Amino acid sequence: MSKQTAGFFSMASAASSLPLLVSSLLLALFALGAHADVKRYQFDIVMSNVSRLCHEKAMVTVNGSYPGPTIYARDGDRVIVNVTNHVKHNMTIHWHGLKQRRNGWADGPAYVTQCPIGSGGSYVYDFNVTGQRGTLWWHAHIAWMRATVHGAIVILPAAGVPYPFPKPDDEAEIVLGEWWHADVETVETQGSMLGMAPNTSDAHTINGKPGPLFPFCSQKHTYALQVQSGKTYLLRIINAAVNGELFFSIAGHNMTVVEIDATYTKPFAASTVQLSPGQTMNVLVSADQSPGRYFMVAKPFNDVPIPADNKTATAILQYAGVPTSVVPALPQTMPATNSTGSVAAFHDKLRSLNSPRYPADVPLAVDRHLLYTIGLNIDPCETCLNRSRLAASLNNITFVMPRTALLQAHYYGQKGVFAADFPDRPPARFNYTGVPLTAGLGTSLGTRLSRIAYNATVELVLQDTNLLSVESHPFHLHGYNFFVVGRGVGNFDPAKDLAKYNLVDPPERNTVGVPAGGWTAIRFRADNPGVWFLHCHLEVHTSWGLKMAFLVEDGSGPDESVLPPPKDLPKC
């Protein structure tokens, strides 16, 4: 039973002994509350003792829970979240996938749209949910804090608007994540000091729990979803992992994909789905198998010889009435960890719904053509172990985070914080995905933004390279959805690849994977003024500098400029 349904029946039960008129009034008041246009939440950032895999540690959480609380809203609602920081670490919260129209002040990435909330401070995130419905998520957006500070965002359709697929009997959030025995900030800091990759996580998790395939002490740390035979469930799947691309499957059950990144898709059946960090997906699952217990499995996808957490997390789909002593069934077939082909085949099936109510407004004419090469690099470092450190770059630029928030500097015209000269092309052309390049791997450091005219249409081709090694990269663009019009392996060739674009019903997303040794092309209309972050959602790469930002200029109309900042905006 969903939280909303449970609340309804709890209130109805309490009212059953009252006279009919009073009972009806209570139910009517509840119905009004359920459709209220303002949703308020209090997020307290606190230290909590959490135990997994025989290891206990103190870690940063929201309201003491891991994962954190779910935000519920409807399309058209206003959401107000007061965040109070009770820990020693600085904090921000990003509402991943919410467009924040003209309101970058509520977006959350530290030193991009706001300065962090210091210890003892508070900040109110106040934003509207407009034209979006489905599953998104929130997470800390400073250092590696999102490893433990994250949770789901459930956006229901506006009142009276049906789903464009059969209405499920119930639903559940499935949050995929990672667990480190050590403090995750310490892990990241140690790697940075050495100039090397940080240690990989010790386990993957489903709703914060690794499942019973780990040692005996993990038996109580298993998530179980109880279902009733014959009913259909909407699973809201979120990949909240810091560095792990993941497959997800349910033994004996097919899933029907109906939504990605809070946009509806043409439904299709899949036995296994794949999500990169930052991506969300809604699937329908029917409890139509023999009553029993079935494993839900989150397994890593990694198709290059780079160290990664290769451990599998499990949860249980539990049919009502089946004893817990029954051993759960495992999926009979899942893709191999390095199955590039199955990932490509799955993503090729994703299509926007493109219906009259939910059209795919793909930009057909392009004002700005951008090509960004993705590189893994080596920069000098006198204090590091080998007098060098691993770095990452776009167009050979390793982004340097400022100490003043970029949006604040832009809004107030503050000089010397950034340059708006990020190049549209890499500095040199080469065989991007040819033999590995291991010499001349230094980068240019800078806080450089790309200036985009208001309402311009943009095509961005993200091209992986074989600097050190090819690798897949999930890229997230703040403030926008975009259409994934093309993807492929090898070097992007406009003479051939443009003809293969899907400009009719391409998937609409906020986070997209760039295949290892390949490219992805996206299009969007720059109709949201402000400063908007673009970065790899593998946190290890973001910390190495694989990021940049777009400065979208104000338009000329009354609703085409950045809103004034709130009075409680934190100061640097």
Side-chain angles (χ1 to χ4, degrees), residues 25-104:
L25 179 59
L26 284 174
L27 292 176
L29 288 173
F30 171 79
L32 287 173
H35 301 141
D37 61 358
V38 178
K39 303 294 191 295
R40 298 179 184 273
Y41 292 87
Q42 174 64 40
F43 275 19
D44 287 307
I45 312 297
V46 296
M47 297 299 296
S48 302
N49 290 325
V50 179
S51 177
R52 297 289 187 272
L53 301 177
C54 309
H55 287 75
E56 183 177 31
K57 68 175 183 179
M59 66 188 202
V60 183
T61 65
V62 171
N63 298 350
S65 62
Y66 166 68
T70 298
I71 295 286
Y72 292 95
R74 285 191 180 274
D75 182 7
D77 281 350
R78 178 184 177 189
V79 177
I80 299 174
V81 187
N82 183 60
V83 178
T84 302
N85 186 6
H86 300 280
V87 303
K88 65 179 180 180
H89 305 281
N90 286 339
M91 182 57 59
T92 69
I93 301 292
H94 169 51
W95 316 94
H96 186 114
L98 283 166
K99 297 178 184 177
Q100 307 292 6
R101 171 77 180 162
R102 304 172 57 208
N103 187 26

Side-chain angles (χ1 to χ4, degrees), residues 430-437 463-467 470 489-492 515-519:
F430 59 97
N431 184 1
Y432 305 124
T433 56
V435 296
L437 299 177
Q463 171 72 63
D464 189 36
T465 70
N466 208 357
L467 297 172
V470 295
V489 296
N491 300 333
F492 174 73
W519 57 270

Side-chain angles (χ1 to χ4, degrees), residues 369-558:
H369 290 271
L370 310 176
L371 173 65
Y372 291 177
T373 53
I374 305 164
L376 300 180
N377 307 88
I378 298 177
D379 281 342
C381 173
E382 291 300 319
T383 60
C384 296
L385 184 65
N386 297 318
R387 294 186 175 274
S388 63
R389 76 165 72 244
L390 290 170
S393 64
L394 286 170
N395 282 353
N396 208 47
I397 299 168
T398 294
F399 194 83
V400 177
M401 295 302 294
R403 303 312 297 174
T404 298
L406 297 170
L407 180 58
Q408 290 172 261
H410 164 59
Y411 186 85
Y412 290 110
Q414 186 174 347
K415 305 297 184 182
V417 177
F418 63 85
D421 62 351
F422 194 91
D424 289 0
R425 297 281 186 276
R429 297 183 62 182
F430 59 97
N431 184 1
Y432 305 124
T433 56
V435 296
L437 299 177
T438 57
L441 297 176
T443 67
S444 170
L445 306 180
T447 307
R448 301 170 67 180
L449 279 57
S450 177
R451 186 183 297 273
I452 306 290
Y454 181 83
N455 214 38
T457 54
V458 179
E459 178 178 300
L460 168 60
V461 176
L462 291 159
Q463 171 72 63
D464 189 36
T465 70
N466 208 357
L467 297 172
L468 285 184
S469 173
V470 295
E471 189 170 357
S472 57
H473 300 272
F475 268 83
H476 173 47
L477 175 59
H478 292 229
Y480 289 90
N481 280 1
F482 49 73
F483 291 97
V484 186
V485 296
R487 62 196 301 273
V489 296
N491 300 333
F492 174 73
D493 183 352
K496 298 179 180 179
D497 292 324
L498 287 175
K500 303 174 186 176
Y501 277 11
N502 176 4
L503 299 177
V504 176
D505 60 353
E508 184 179 349
R509 312 209 70 148
N510 61 62
T511 304
V512 66
V514 179
W519 57 270
T520 294
I522 66 173
R523 286 187 180 183
F524 63 96
R525 181 177 295 278
D527 57 0
N528 192 9
V531 176
W532 303 106
F533 210 21
L534 173 73
H535 63 97
C536 181
H537 225 271
L538 300 176
E539 203 63 58
V540 60
H541 293 164
T542 301
S543 62
W544 289 349
L546 192 49
K547 49 198 173 187
M548 58 82 66
F550 291 110
L551 194 169
V552 178
E553 297 175 328
D554 288 347
S556 56

Side-chain angles (χ1 to χ4, degrees), residues 154-403:
V154 172
I155 306 174
L156 301 172
V161 177
Y163 292 121
F165 48 81
K167 184 179 179 181
D169 296 294
D170 213 332
E171 63 179 56
E173 295 106 49
I174 304 293
V175 182
L176 313 179
E178 287 171 291
W179 167 266
W180 276 264
H181 295 327
D183 174 73
V184 68
E185 292 299 291
T186 301
V187 170
E188 192 277 331
T189 299
Q190 288 174 341
S192 179
M193 290 177 63
L194 293 172
M196 303 173 69
N199 292 336
T200 59
S201 55
D202 295 291
H204 288 108
T205 58
I206 300 177
N207 285 350
K209 300 176 179 181
L213 297 188
F214 285 89
F216 69 93
C217 55
S218 69
Q219 297 300 314
K220 64 180 180 179
H221 297 143
T222 301
Y223 171 73
L225 173 63
Q226 182 167 293
V227 297
Q228 299 281 343
S229 289
K231 293 192 174 182
T232 299
Y233 296 83
L234 181 70
L235 301 188
R236 299 175 178 273
I237 309 169
I238 299 165
N239 187 349
V242 174
N243 293 314
E245 299 191 274
L246 296 168
F247 293 110
F248 179 80
S249 185
I250 305 173
H253 295 73
N254 267 341
M255 296 171 278
T256 300
V257 178
V258 294
E259 178 250 304
I260 54 173
D261 291 3
T263 61
Y264 294 133
T265 62
K266 289 182 171 66
F268 68 94
S271 59
T272 300
V273 299
Q274 189 268 328
L275 299 92
S276 295
Q279 293 181 332
T280 63
M281 185 176 298
N282 281 5
V283 301
L284 293 173
V285 178
S286 294
D288 56 4
Q289 299 301 302
S290 299
R293 305 176 79 224
Y294 298 85
F295 271 128
M296 298 185 282
V297 176
K299 170 185 173 178
F301 164 59
N302 181 32
D303 60 350
V304 293
I306 289 178
D309 181 354
N310 62 358
K311 303 175 188 68
T312 297
T314 54
I316 297 173
L317 190 76
Q318 167 85 45
Y319 278 68
V322 176
T324 56
S325 57
V326 173
V327 177
L330 278 166
Q332 294 300 304
T333 58
M334 279 193 78
T337 298
N338 63 350
S339 183
T340 305
S342 64
V343 172
F346 174 75
H347 286 276
D348 285 344
K349 295 178 182 178
L350 295 172
R351 293 285 187 271
S352 288
L353 191 58
N354 197 22
S355 67
R357 183 186 286 270
Y358 305 107
D361 295 322
V362 188
L364 300 180
V366 176
D367 299 317
R368 285 281 295 275
H369 290 271
L370 310 176
L371 173 65
Y372 291 177
T373 53
I374 305 164
L376 300 180
N377 307 88
I378 298 177
D379 281 342
C381 173
E382 291 300 319
T383 60
C384 296
L385 184 65
N386 297 318
R387 294 186 175 274
S388 63
R389 76 165 72 244
L390 290 170
S393 64
L394 286 170
N395 282 353
N396 208 47
I397 299 168
T398 294
F399 194 83
V400 177
M401 295 302 294
R403 303 312 297 174

